[in-house]
Amino acid sequence: MDARLDFFTDAKPGKAFTHLMSAGRAIKELPLPAATQELLALRVSQINGCAVCVDMHTKEAAAAGESATRLHLVAAWREATVFTEAERAALELAEEGTRVADAAGGVGDEVWARAARHYDQEQLKALVLFVSFMNMVNRLNVITRQPAGNYVAGQFH
């Protein structure tokens, strides 16, 4: 399967895409634990059906030392015992922030309060930016049908 579009074949879309990816690198530098970022990237990508992002973030997390058990249980994190309370709060916020059409009210006050118990204001900002960025990237990849399966950890970092 080939992607429908290559953003870099035209100068202006390529420049815009390059700026988007620069924003992503800046967001990754915000004070949110790297392991949490990979878990959130994986969960948001699972919800959105973004195969290329599931492939990428599973391999990046594994290369960074994340256990196979935790990676396999991200999709069913609510019943899993391998995530910290902070990670569970972040995963819950990421799910409600991603399923905005399903959860008509968006991120509920209780979900926000649980996240705020584990993350300070700067980390909450990082969390919101990260989840929002992943949703944007997922949509770019799903719309253009980016092929998945051949990503090598570190390829885009």
Side-chain angles (χ1 to χ4, degrees):
M1 181 174 89
D2 293 325
R4 289 176 169 158
L5 290 174
D6 179 350
F7 289 101
F8 295 106
T9 57
D10 295 296
K12 289 183 180 178
K15 183 177 179 182
F17 193 79
T18 298
H19 287 299
L20 288 173
M21 293 304 105
S22 293
R25 283 190 292 279
I27 291 168
K28 282 191 77 74
E29 294 173 4
L30 295 175
L32 194 61
T36 302
Q37 289 185 26
E38 291 301 337
L39 294 174
L40 296 177
L42 180 55
R43 184 63 191 129
V44 169
S45 300
Q46 289 170 337
I47 293 168
N48 289 326
C50 182
V52 71
C53 290
V54 168
D55 184 37
M56 175 189 303
H57 294 289
T58 300
K59 290 173 180 173
E60 289 293 345
E66 187 61 78
S67 76
T69 299
R70 283 169 45 95
L71 291 175
H72 293 304
L73 287 172
V74 166
W77 65 269
R78 290 177 195 278
E79 292 79 31
T81 59
V82 295
F83 301 107
T84 67
E85 287 302 314
E87 289 169 338
R88 298 172 69 77
L91 286 163
E92 186 176 33
L93 188 142
E95 281 192 357
E96 286 203 3
T98 299
R99 295 180 184 225
V100 292
D102 300 340
V107 175
D109 290 340
E110 292 175 7
V111 170
W112 183 262
R114 276 191 287 280
R117 270 186 244 140
H118 299 282
Y119 300 98
D120 63 24
Q121 286 293 304
E122 188 176 12
Q123 290 172 313
L124 285 170
K125 292 170 187 170
L127 191 57
V128 170
L129 284 167
F130 189 80
V131 169
S132 299
F133 182 80
M134 281 309 305
N135 274 284
M136 180 204 59
V137 171
N138 286 171
R139 281 152 177 79
L140 285 169
N141 289 326
V142 169
I143 290 168
T144 60
R145 289 191 179 163
Q146 296 298 317
N150 295 322
Y151 182 79
V152 177
Q155 183 177 335
F156 292 140
H157 300 283

